[in-house]
Amino acid sequence: MKRIILLLFSFNVLVLSAQSLNDSLILSPLRNDPRVNENSFSFVLYSFKKQETLLSVNSFKPLIPASVNKLITAVSAYYYLGDDYKFNTYTYLSGEQINNIWKGNIYIYGTGDPLIGDDFPEKNKFFDSLVYILKSMGIDTIRGNIIADASYWGSNIVPAGYDCEDLGNYYGAGASSLIYNGNVWKIGYKLTPYYGKTAKILLTIPEFPHVIYQNKIKIANRNYGNYSNVIGRPLDKSYIFTGTIPKGNGDTMFVKASSPDPAYGFAWKTKQSLSNNGICVKGNIITTYNDTVIYDNKYLILNYESMPLDSVISFTIRNSYNVGAEALAKAISKKYGDGSYKSYETLAKKMLYKYGADTTEIKIYDGSGLSRKNLLTADALLTTLIASRNASWYDDLKNSLAIAGVNGTLKRFLKNTPLENNLRAKSGYLHYIRGFAGYFDIPDSMDTFAFVILVNDFKADTKYLTKNIEAVLLNSYNELTNIYRASRSNEDVSKISQ
């Protein structure tokens, strides 16, 4: 009887070592696809219960991470900025009040709050707060200008690593120290049935009277799909709108571009909000991205604080919000470096090195992952996931990750599978590139796993690649579940034998 128990115990240890993982089966959806280059993908799988890597393929190979890069940005923000960090937006007045009139200027000085705007969590609370304060002072007229001061981060709004073709589009807007509505410029078009005709612009939000734009967008012979493109970049004085939009019967459709002047857009919204609430501004909008304004002789009337850091990170990660990620990267660089992206890269790599990652071939050009110059390894991403599991911010980070089949960028991913409402991850997408990094559980709380999968150079529609990645993750889940259940069954047999 003793020998039987010993044999069962030995078998149990062998199974729990997870050496029996069928990696050929798990990775077959990628390896059997001729469109996938064996040297252009990586996959790692880690068990928290065993504290070991169960499967590793090309884990030290540098690959383009796309938006999975935001995972590094988020953890860097938790690590360097801390729970108490907030973005501040200050409002000052110069001049004097005479009865209901303020004779002088309004100055708005920002430090990069990325969540102000109609389409974002803070909505218009900043503008409403300013209206409330001015009304409480009895002011209904301002005889002066609105000066929007975005000098905190300066005029280098977009990372040097962004591709030129991305800069005019909303996802390439970059982060300025004054951000309204994600630095998005909405161009409202009238949809008509007149195929081939130039589409008519009805309005723009915000309005930029100092920017010249050429409208070359045509009405297409279809009633679906926005195939427009915007050529330009922040602080350019000229934009070009090209491509096609669907036909229609007079409805309005908005094409989204990057803001040509983020500080002006913020001041435009400020002036509009004051006007809508009975406060008339008689002067102009003036913007500055250089540190030229002196505030010692001005009156601070509002110090508006952003939502807590975990809220900024959560919205950024779950919605893959590029401007939010760039704001976090710049905040880190400004606090501990010179405010440049090179400084941010140094700080992020320093954190990764401290956690045990090999940073030799890692390159970080931005916070969002939009740059194709970024290079990360699956090992570095896995190291970040493991370190976060033991950190004070783990629950916040985990809750910020999109949930498979439920929300965010994973709303359709792994829908109607055992990993729906289970797997949480940051996804990444660029042309020919797909990536995911996150966590999932197997049944009955048997174990939690961290995983990273990056695939580059997929020369076909990435929807097919996404299906392959889903299959790899489902194979992993099923294989692990079977092994652990078998292990548990063996434990039960061993106890009965005793």
Side-chain angles (χ1 to χ4, degrees), residues 41-61:
F41 82 86
S42 58
F43 180 62
V44 287
L45 184 64
Y46 179 88
S47 161
F48 283 104
K49 183 176 183 179
K50 300 157 123 27
Q51 297 185 26
E52 68 174 289
T53 300
L54 306 180
L55 188 57
S56 176
V57 179
N58 296 331
S59 61
F60 292 96
K61 184 174 184 61

mmCIF file with all atom_site columns, all heavy atoms in Angstrom, residues 41-61:
data_model
loop_
_atom_site.group_PDB
_atom_site.id
_atom_site.type_symbol
_atom_site.label_atom_id
_atom_site.label_alt_id
_atom_site.label_comp_id
_atom_site.label_asym_id
_atom_site.label_entity_id
_atom_site.label_seq_id
_atom_site.pdbx_PDB_ins_code
_atom_site.Cartn_x
_atom_site.Cartn_y
_atom_site.Cartn_z
_atom_site.occupancy
_atom_site.B_iso_or_equiv
_atom_site.pdbx_formal_charge
_atom_site.auth_seq_id
_atom_site.auth_comp_id
_atom_site.auth_asym_id
_atom_site.auth_atom_id
_atom_site.pdbx_PDB_model_num
ATOM 1   N N   . PHE A 1 41 ? 6.167  36.029 -34.178 1.00 0.00 ? 41 PHE A N   1
ATOM 2   C CA  . PHE A 1 41 ? 5.187  36.015 -33.096 1.00 0.00 ? 41 PHE A CA  1
ATOM 3   C C   . PHE A 1 41 ? 5.843  35.509 -31.824 1.00 0.00 ? 41 PHE A C   1
ATOM 4   O O   . PHE A 1 41 ? 6.858  34.804 -31.847 1.00 0.00 ? 41 PHE A O   1
ATOM 5   C CB  . PHE A 1 41 ? 3.955  35.178 -33.457 1.00 0.00 ? 41 PHE A CB  1
ATOM 6   C CG  . PHE A 1 41 ? 4.091  33.691 -33.262 1.00 0.00 ? 41 PHE A CG  1
ATOM 7   C CD1 . PHE A 1 41 ? 3.830  33.117 -32.021 1.00 0.00 ? 41 PHE A CD1 1
ATOM 8   C CD2 . PHE A 1 41 ? 4.454  32.867 -34.306 1.00 0.00 ? 41 PHE A CD2 1
ATOM 9   C CE1 . PHE A 1 41 ? 3.938  31.750 -31.837 1.00 0.00 ? 41 PHE A CE1 1
ATOM 10  C CE2 . PHE A 1 41 ? 4.565  31.506 -34.136 1.00 0.00 ? 41 PHE A CE2 1
ATOM 11  C CZ  . PHE A 1 41 ? 4.312  30.929 -32.883 1.00 0.00 ? 41 PHE A CZ  1
ATOM 12  N N   . SER A 1 42 ? 5.267  35.903 -30.701 1.00 0.00 ? 42 SER A N   1
ATOM 13  C CA  . SER A 1 42 ? 5.734  35.428 -29.398 1.00 0.00 ? 42 SER A CA  1
ATOM 14  C C   . SER A 1 42 ? 4.529  35.090 -28.531 1.00 0.00 ? 42 SER A C   1
ATOM 15  O O   . SER A 1 42 ? 3.446  35.668 -28.691 1.00 0.00 ? 42 SER A O   1
ATOM 16  C CB  . SER A 1 42 ? 6.603  36.485 -28.714 1.00 0.00 ? 42 SER A CB  1
ATOM 17  O OG  . SER A 1 42 ? 5.887  37.697 -28.547 1.00 0.00 ? 42 SER A OG  1
ATOM 18  N N   . PHE A 1 43 ? 4.725  34.155 -27.625 1.00 0.00 ? 43 PHE A N   1
ATOM 19  C CA  . PHE A 1 43 ? 3.657  33.733 -26.714 1.00 0.00 ? 43 PHE A CA  1
ATOM 20  C C   . PHE A 1 43 ? 4.283  33.256 -25.412 1.00 0.00 ? 43 PHE A C   1
ATOM 21  O O   . PHE A 1 43 ? 5.238  32.468 -25.426 1.00 0.00 ? 43 PHE A O   1
ATOM 22  C CB  . PHE A 1 43 ? 2.825  32.608 -27.330 1.00 0.00 ? 43 PHE A CB  1
ATOM 23  C CG  . PHE A 1 43 ? 1.699  32.126 -26.437 1.00 0.00 ? 43 PHE A CG  1
ATOM 24  C CD1 . PHE A 1 43 ? 0.676  32.977 -26.066 1.00 0.00 ? 43 PHE A CD1 1
ATOM 25  C CD2 . PHE A 1 43 ? 1.671  30.810 -25.985 1.00 0.00 ? 43 PHE A CD2 1
ATOM 26  C CE1 . PHE A 1 43 ? -0.364 32.534 -25.253 1.00 0.00 ? 43 PHE A CE1 1
ATOM 27  C CE2 . PHE A 1 43 ? 0.635  30.353 -25.179 1.00 0.00 ? 43 PHE A CE2 1
ATOM 28  C CZ  . PHE A 1 43 ? -0.386 31.224 -24.804 1.00 0.00 ? 43 PHE A CZ  1
ATOM 29  N N   . VAL A 1 44 ? 3.771  33.768 -24.310 1.00 0.00 ? 44 VAL A N   1
ATOM 30  C CA  . VAL A 1 44 ? 4.192  33.298 -22.991 1.00 0.00 ? 44 VAL A CA  1
ATOM 31  C C   . VAL A 1 44 ? 2.966  33.079 -22.117 1.00 0.00 ? 44 VAL A C   1
ATOM 32  O O   . VAL A 1 44 ? 1.967  33.799 -22.225 1.00 0.00 ? 44 VAL A O   1
ATOM 33  C CB  . VAL A 1 44 ? 5.164  34.267 -22.288 1.00 0.00 ? 44 VAL A CB  1
ATOM 34  C CG1 . VAL A 1 44 ? 6.533  34.230 -22.923 1.00 0.00 ? 44 VAL A CG1 1
ATOM 35  C CG2 . VAL A 1 44 ? 4.620  35.684 -22.280 1.00 0.00 ? 44 VAL A CG2 1
ATOM 36  N N   . LEU A 1 45 ? 3.068  32.089 -21.258 1.00 0.00 ? 45 LEU A N   1
ATOM 37  C CA  . LEU A 1 45 ? 1.967  31.714 -20.364 1.00 0.00 ? 45 LEU A CA  1
ATOM 38  C C   . LEU A 1 45 ? 2.560  31.424 -18.993 1.00 0.00 ? 45 LEU A C   1
ATOM 39  O O   . LEU A 1 45 ? 3.504  30.616 -18.869 1.00 0.00 ? 45 LEU A O   1
ATOM 40  C CB  . LEU A 1 45 ? 1.256  30.484 -20.919 1.00 0.00 ? 45 LEU A CB  1
ATOM 41  C CG  . LEU A 1 45 ? 0.011  29.974 -20.192 1.00 0.00 ? 45 LEU A CG  1
ATOM 42  C CD1 . LEU A 1 45 ? -1.101 31.021 -20.251 1.00 0.00 ? 45 LEU A CD1 1
ATOM 43  C CD2 . LEU A 1 45 ? -0.456 28.666 -20.829 1.00 0.00 ? 45 LEU A CD2 1
ATOM 44  N N   . TYR A 1 46 ? 2.026  32.081 -17.976 1.00 0.00 ? 46 TYR A N   1
ATOM 45  C CA  . TYR A 1 46 ? 2.604  32.008 -16.626 1.00 0.00 ? 46 TYR A CA  1
ATOM 46  C C   . TYR A 1 46 ? 1.545  31.610 -15.611 1.00 0.00 ? 46 TYR A C   1
ATOM 47  O O   . TYR A 1 46 ? 0.413  32.122 -15.643 1.00 0.00 ? 46 TYR A O   1
ATOM 48  C CB  . TYR A 1 46 ? 3.198  33.369 -16.254 1.00 0.00 ? 46 TYR A CB  1
ATOM 49  C CG  . TYR A 1 46 ? 3.801  33.447 -14.871 1.00 0.00 ? 46 TYR A CG  1
ATOM 50  C CD1 . TYR A 1 46 ? 5.135  33.110 -14.659 1.00 0.00 ? 46 TYR A CD1 1
ATOM 51  C CD2 . TYR A 1 46 ? 3.042  33.876 -13.780 1.00 0.00 ? 46 TYR A CD2 1
ATOM 52  C CE1 . TYR A 1 46 ? 5.705  33.189 -13.387 1.00 0.00 ? 46 TYR A CE1 1
ATOM 53  C CE2 . TYR A 1 46 ? 3.592  33.960 -12.510 1.00 0.00 ? 46 TYR A CE2 1
ATOM 54  C CZ  . TYR A 1 46 ? 4.922  33.614 -12.313 1.00 0.00 ? 46 TYR A CZ  1
ATOM 55  O OH  . TYR A 1 46 ? 5.475  33.696 -11.063 1.00 0.00 ? 46 TYR A OH  1
ATOM 56  N N   . SER A 1 47 ? 1.912  30.713 -14.691 1.00 0.00 ? 47 SER A N   1
ATOM 57  C CA  . SER A 1 47 ? 1.013  30.280 -13.618 1.00 0.00 ? 47 SER A CA  1
ATOM 58  C C   . SER A 1 47 ? 1.366  30.992 -12.319 1.00 0.00 ? 47 SER A C   1
ATOM 59  O O   . SER A 1 47 ? 2.519  30.919 -11.853 1.00 0.00 ? 47 SER A O   1
ATOM 60  C CB  . SER A 1 47 ? 1.139  28.767 -13.413 1.00 0.00 ? 47 SER A CB  1
ATOM 61  O OG  . SER A 1 47 ? 0.633  28.382 -12.145 1.00 0.00 ? 47 SER A OG  1
ATOM 62  N N   . PHE A 1 48 ? 0.386  31.665 -11.735 1.00 0.00 ? 48 PHE A N   1
ATOM 63  C CA  . PHE A 1 48 ? 0.639  32.334 -10.455 1.00 0.00 ? 48 PHE A CA  1
ATOM 64  C C   . PHE A 1 48 ? 0.675  31.329 -9.304  1.00 0.00 ? 48 PHE A C   1
ATOM 65  O O   . PHE A 1 48 ? 1.390  31.532 -8.319  1.00 0.00 ? 48 PHE A O   1
ATOM 66  C CB  . PHE A 1 48 ? -0.426 33.409 -10.200 1.00 0.00 ? 48 PHE A CB  1
ATOM 67  C CG  . PHE A 1 48 ? -0.193 34.655 -10.998 1.00 0.00 ? 48 PHE A CG  1
ATOM 68  C CD1 . PHE A 1 48 ? -0.958 34.933 -12.115 1.00 0.00 ? 48 PHE A CD1 1
ATOM 69  C CD2 . PHE A 1 48 ? 0.805  35.545 -10.653 1.00 0.00 ? 48 PHE A CD2 1
ATOM 70  C CE1 . PHE A 1 48 ? -0.735 36.075 -12.865 1.00 0.00 ? 48 PHE A CE1 1
ATOM 71  C CE2 . PHE A 1 48 ? 1.042  36.699 -11.390 1.00 0.00 ? 48 PHE A CE2 1
ATOM 72  C CZ  . PHE A 1 48 ? 0.265  36.961 -12.503 1.00 0.00 ? 48 PHE A CZ  1
ATOM 73  N N   . LYS A 1 49 ? -0.088 30.274 -9.417  1.00 0.00 ? 49 LYS A N   1
ATOM 74  C CA  . LYS A 1 49 ? -0.088 29.264 -8.359  1.00 0.00 ? 49 LYS A CA  1
ATOM 75  C C   . LYS A 1 49 ? 1.278  28.587 -8.277  1.00 0.00 ? 49 LYS A C   1
ATOM 76  O O   . LYS A 1 49 ? 1.817  28.364 -7.194  1.00 0.00 ? 49 LYS A O   1
ATOM 77  C CB  . LYS A 1 49 ? -1.169 28.225 -8.620  1.00 0.00 ? 49 LYS A CB  1
ATOM 78  C CG  . LYS A 1 49 ? -1.304 27.170 -7.524  1.00 0.00 ? 49 LYS A CG  1
ATOM 79  C CD  . LYS A 1 49 ? -2.470 26.242 -7.806  1.00 0.00 ? 49 LYS A CD  1
ATOM 80  C CE  . LYS A 1 49 ? -2.650 25.225 -6.680  1.00 0.00 ? 49 LYS A CE  1
ATOM 81  N NZ  . LYS A 1 49 ? -3.804 24.327 -6.951  1.00 0.00 ? 49 LYS A NZ  1
ATOM 82  N N   . LYS A 1 50 ? 1.855  28.258 -9.415  1.00 0.00 ? 50 LYS A N   1
ATOM 83  C CA  . LYS A 1 50 ? 3.145  27.589 -9.440  1.00 0.00 ? 50 LYS A CA  1
ATOM 84  C C   . LYS A 1 50 ? 4.309  28.551 -9.488  1.00 0.00 ? 50 LYS A C   1
ATOM 85  O O   . LYS A 1 50 ? 5.446  28.166 -9.291  1.00 0.00 ? 50 LYS A O   1
ATOM 86  C CB  . LYS A 1 50 ? 3.208  26.684 -10.663 1.00 0.00 ? 50 LYS A CB  1
ATOM 87  C CG  . LYS A 1 50 ? 2.159  25.663 -10.674 1.00 0.00 ? 50 LYS A CG  1
ATOM 88  C CD  . LYS A 1 50 ? 1.958  25.238 -12.095 1.00 0.00 ? 50 LYS A CD  1
ATOM 89  C CE  . LYS A 1 50 ? 2.062  24.015 -12.503 1.00 0.00 ? 50 LYS A CE  1
ATOM 90  N NZ  . LYS A 1 50 ? 1.752  23.188 -11.364 1.00 0.00 ? 50 LYS A NZ  1
ATOM 91  N N   . GLN A 1 51 ? 4.011  29.816 -9.825  1.00 0.00 ? 51 GLN A N   1
ATOM 92  C CA  . GLN A 1 51 ? 5.035  30.859 -9.950  1.00 0.00 ? 51 GLN A CA  1
ATOM 93  C C   . GLN A 1 51 ? 6.109  30.442 -10.959 1.00 0.00 ? 51 GLN A C   1
ATOM 94  O O   . GLN A 1 51 ? 7.309  30.520 -10.699 1.00 0.00 ? 51 GLN A O   1
ATOM 95  C CB  . GLN A 1 51 ? 5.660  31.179 -8.589  1.00 0.00 ? 51 GLN A CB  1
ATOM 96  C CG  . GLN A 1 51 ? 4.663  31.756 -7.597  1.00 0.00 ? 51 GLN A CG  1
ATOM 97  C CD  . GLN A 1 51 ? 5.299  32.191 -6.304  1.00 0.00 ? 51 GLN A CD  1
ATOM 98  O OE1 . GLN A 1 51 ? 6.476  32.529 -6.239  1.00 0.00 ? 51 GLN A OE1 1
ATOM 99  N NE2 . GLN A 1 51 ? 4.509  32.198 -5.238  1.00 0.00 ? 51 GLN A NE2 1
ATOM 100 N N   . GLU A 1 52 ? 5.656  29.982 -12.099 1.00 0.00 ? 52 GLU A N   1
ATOM 101 C CA  . GLU A 1 52 ? 6.593  29.604 -13.151 1.00 0.00 ? 52 GLU A CA  1
ATOM 102 C C   . GLU A 1 52 ? 5.955  29.818 -14.526 1.00 0.00 ? 52 GLU A C   1
ATOM 103 O O   . GLU A 1 52 ? 4.734  29.819 -14.669 1.00 0.00 ? 52 GLU A O   1
ATOM 104 C CB  . GLU A 1 52 ? 7.038  28.158 -13.004 1.00 0.00 ? 52 GLU A CB  1
ATOM 105 C CG  . GLU A 1 52 ? 5.959  27.134 -13.243 1.00 0.00 ? 52 GLU A CG  1
ATOM 106 C CD  . GLU A 1 52 ? 6.510  25.711 -13.234 1.00 0.00 ? 52 GLU A CD  1
ATOM 107 O OE1 . GLU A 1 52 ? 7.220  25.359 -14.197 1.00 0.00 ? 52 GLU A OE1 1
ATOM 108 O OE2 . GLU A 1 52 ? 6.217  24.974 -12.284 1.00 0.00 ? 52 GLU A OE2 1
ATOM 109 N N   . THR A 1 53 ? 6.823  30.006 -15.508 1.00 0.00 ? 53 THR A N   1
ATOM 110 C CA  . THR A 1 53 ? 6.386  30.121 -16.896 1.00 0.00 ? 53 THR A CA  1
ATOM 111 C C   . THR A 1 53 ? 6.134  28.730 -17.448 1.00 0.00 ? 53 THR A C   1
ATOM 112 O O   . THR A 1 53 ? 7.030  27.874 -17.424 1.00 0.00 ? 53 THR A O   1
ATOM 113 C CB  . THR A 1 53 ? 7.438  30.852 -17.738 1.00 0.00 ? 53 THR A CB  1
ATOM 114 O OG1 . THR A 1 53 ? 7.637  32.164 -17.198 1.00 0.00 ? 53 THR A OG1 1
ATOM 115 C CG2 . THR A 1 53 ? 6.977  30.984 -19.186 1.00 0.00 ? 53 THR A CG2 1
ATOM 116 N N   . LEU A 1 54 ? 4.933  28.498 -17.942 1.00 0.00 ? 54 LEU A N   1
ATOM 117 C CA  . LEU A 1 54 ? 4.552  27.182 -18.437 1.00 0.00 ? 54 LEU A CA  1
ATOM 118 C C   . LEU A 1 54 ? 4.870  26.997 -19.916 1.00 0.00 ? 54 LEU A C   1
ATOM 119 O O   . LEU A 1 54 ? 5.108  25.881 -20.368 1.00 0.00 ? 54 LEU A O   1
ATOM 120 C CB  . LEU A 1 54 ? 3.049  26.960 -18.218 1.00 0.00 ? 54 LEU A CB  1
ATOM 121 C CG  . LEU A 1 54 ? 2.532  27.155 -16.795 1.00 0.00 ? 54 LEU A CG  1
ATOM 122 C CD1 . LEU A 1 54 ? 1.036  26.901 -16.753 1.00 0.00 ? 54 LEU A CD1 1
ATOM 123 C CD2 . LEU A 1 54 ? 3.262  26.244 -15.822 1.00 0.00 ? 54 LEU A CD2 1
ATOM 124 N N   . LEU A 1 55 ? 4.839  28.093 -20.658 1.00 0.00 ? 55 LEU A N   1
ATOM 125 C CA  . LEU A 1 55 ? 5.064  28.002 -22.093 1.00 0.00 ? 55 LEU A CA  1
ATOM 126 C C   . LEU A 1 55 ? 5.694  29.310 -22.565 1.00 0.00 ? 55 LEU A C   1
ATOM 127 O O   . LEU A 1 55 ? 5.247  30.391 -22.177 1.00 0.00 ? 55 LEU A O   1
ATOM 128 C CB  . LEU A 1 55 ? 3.739  27.756 -22.824 1.00 0.00 ? 55 LEU A CB  1
ATOM 129 C CG  . LEU A 1 55 ? 3.783  27.448 -24.324 1.00 0.00 ? 55 LEU A CG  1
ATOM 130 C CD1 . LEU A 1 55 ? 4.650  26.230 -24.600 1.00 0.00 ? 55 LEU A CD1 1
ATOM 131 C CD2 . LEU A 1 55 ? 2.375  27.209 -24.848 1.00 0.00 ? 55 LEU A CD2 1
ATOM 132 N N   . SER A 1 56 ? 6.738  29.209 -23.363 1.00 0.00 ? 56 SER A N   1
ATOM 133 C CA  . SER A 1 56 ? 7.441  30.411 -23.817 1.00 0.00 ? 56 SER A CA  1
ATOM 134 C C   . SER A 1 56 ? 7.947  30.187 -25.236 1.00 0.00 ? 56 SER A C   1
ATOM 135 O O   . SER A 1 56 ? 8.705  29.251 -25.491 1.00 0.00 ? 56 SER A O   1
ATOM 136 C CB  . SER A 1 56 ? 8.614  30.728 -22.887 1.00 0.00 ? 56 SER A CB  1
ATOM 137 O OG  . SER A 1 56 ? 9.356  31.822 -23.359 1.00 0.00 ? 56 SER A OG  1
ATOM 138 N N   . VAL A 1 57 ? 7.514  31.050 -26.145 1.00 0.00 ? 57 VAL A N   1
ATOM 139 C CA  . VAL A 1 57 ? 7.952  31.006 -27.542 1.00 0.00 ? 57 VAL A CA  1
ATOM 140 C C   . VAL A 1 57 ? 8.405  32.407 -27.959 1.00 0.00 ? 57 VAL A C   1
ATOM 141 O O   . VAL A 1 57 ? 7.626  33.357 -27.880 1.00 0.00 ? 57 VAL A O   1
ATOM 142 C CB  . VAL A 1 57 ? 6.825  30.525 -28.476 1.00 0.00 ? 57 VAL A CB  1
ATOM 143 C CG1 . VAL A 1 57 ? 7.296  30.522 -29.921 1.00 0.00 ? 57 VAL A CG1 1
ATOM 144 C CG2 . VAL A 1 57 ? 6.318  29.152 -28.066 1.00 0.00 ? 57 VAL A CG2 1
ATOM 145 N N   . ASN A 1 58 ? 9.648  32.525 -28.349 1.00 0.00 ? 58 ASN A N   1
ATOM 146 C CA  . ASN A 1 58 ? 10.199 33.824 -28.796 1.00 0.00 ? 58 ASN A CA  1
ATOM 147 C C   . ASN A 1 58 ? 9.960  34.935 -27.775 1.00 0.00 ? 58 ASN A C   1
ATOM 148 O O   . ASN A 1 58 ? 9.718  36.087 -28.150 1.00 0.00 ? 58 ASN A O   1
ATOM 149 C CB  . ASN A 1 58 ? 9.580  34.228 -30.140 1.00 0.00 ? 58 ASN A CB  1
ATOM 150 C CG  . ASN A 1 58 ? 9.925  33.287 -31.263 1.00 0.00 ? 58 ASN A CG  1
ATOM 151 O OD1 . ASN A 1 58 ? 10.987 32.664 -31.258 1.00 0.00 ? 58 ASN A OD1 1
ATOM 152 N ND2 . ASN A 1 58 ? 9.032  33.168 -32.239 1.00 0.00 ? 58 ASN A ND2 1
ATOM 153 N N   . SER A 1 59 ? 10.040 34.619 -26.503 1.00 0.00 ? 59 SER A N   1
ATOM 154 C CA  . SER A 1 59 ? 9.661  35.581 -25.467 1.00 0.00 ? 59 SER A CA  1
ATOM 155 C C   . SER A 1 59 ? 10.612 36.765 -25.362 1.00 0.00 ? 59 SER A C   1
ATOM 156 O O   . SER A 1 59 ? 10.253 37.805 -24.810 1.00 0.00 ? 59 SER A O   1
ATOM 157 C CB  . SER A 1 59 ? 9.544  34.888 -24.115 1.00 0.00 ? 59 SER A CB  1
ATOM 158 O OG  . SER A 1 59 ? 10.789 34.324 -23.728 1.00 0.00 ? 59 SER A OG  1
ATOM 159 N N   . PHE A 1 60 ? 11.845 36.616 -25.873 1.00 0.00 ? 60 PHE A N   1
ATOM 160 C CA  . PHE A 1 60 ? 12.810 37.719 -25.814 1.00 0.00 ? 60 PHE A CA  1
ATOM 161 C C   . PHE A 1 60 ? 12.988 38.407 -27.158 1.00 0.00 ? 60 PHE A C   1
ATOM 162 O O   . PHE A 1 60 ? 13.881 39.232 -27.322 1.00 0.00 ? 60 PHE A O   1
ATOM 163 C CB  . PHE A 1 60 ? 14.163 37.211 -25.295 1.00 0.00 ? 60 PHE A CB  1
ATOM 164 C CG  . PHE A 1 60 ? 14.124 36.802 -23.855 1.00 0.00 ? 60 PHE A CG  1
ATOM 165 C CD1 . PHE A 1 60 ? 13.930 35.484 -23.509 1.00 0.00 ? 60 PHE A CD1 1
ATOM 166 C CD2 . PHE A 1 60 ? 14.248 37.738 -22.848 1.00 0.00 ? 60 PHE A CD2 1
ATOM 167 C CE1 . PHE A 1 60 ? 13.882 35.082 -22.178 1.00 0.00 ? 60 PHE A CE1 1
ATOM 168 C CE2 . PHE A 1 60 ? 14.191 37.373 -21.510 1.00 0.00 ? 60 PHE A CE2 1
ATOM 169 C CZ  . PHE A 1 60 ? 14.008 36.045 -21.169 1.00 0.00 ? 60 PHE A CZ  1
ATOM 170 N N   . LYS A 1 61 ? 12.128 38.080 -28.100 1.00 0.00 ? 61 LYS A N   1
ATOM 171 C CA  . LYS A 1 61 ? 12.220 38.693 -29.433 1.00 0.00 ? 61 LYS A CA  1
ATOM 172 C C   . LYS A 1 61 ? 11.492 40.044 -29.422 1.00 0.00 ? 61 LYS A C   1
ATOM 173 O O   . LYS A 1 61 ? 10.312 40.123 -29.083 1.00 0.00 ? 61 LYS A O   1
ATOM 174 C CB  . LYS A 1 61 ? 11.606 37.787 -30.488 1.00 0.00 ? 61 LYS A CB  1
ATOM 175 C CG  . LYS A 1 61 ? 11.771 38.340 -31.909 1.00 0.00 ? 61 LYS A CG  1
ATOM 176 C CD  . LYS A 1 61 ? 11.284 37.370 -32.944 1.00 0.00 ? 61 LYS A CD  1
ATOM 177 C CE  . LYS A 1 61 ? 11.547 37.910 -34.359 1.00 0.00 ? 61 LYS A CE  1
ATOM 178 N NZ  . LYS A 1 61 ? 12.979 38.121 -34.611 1.00 0.00 ? 61 LYS A NZ  1
#
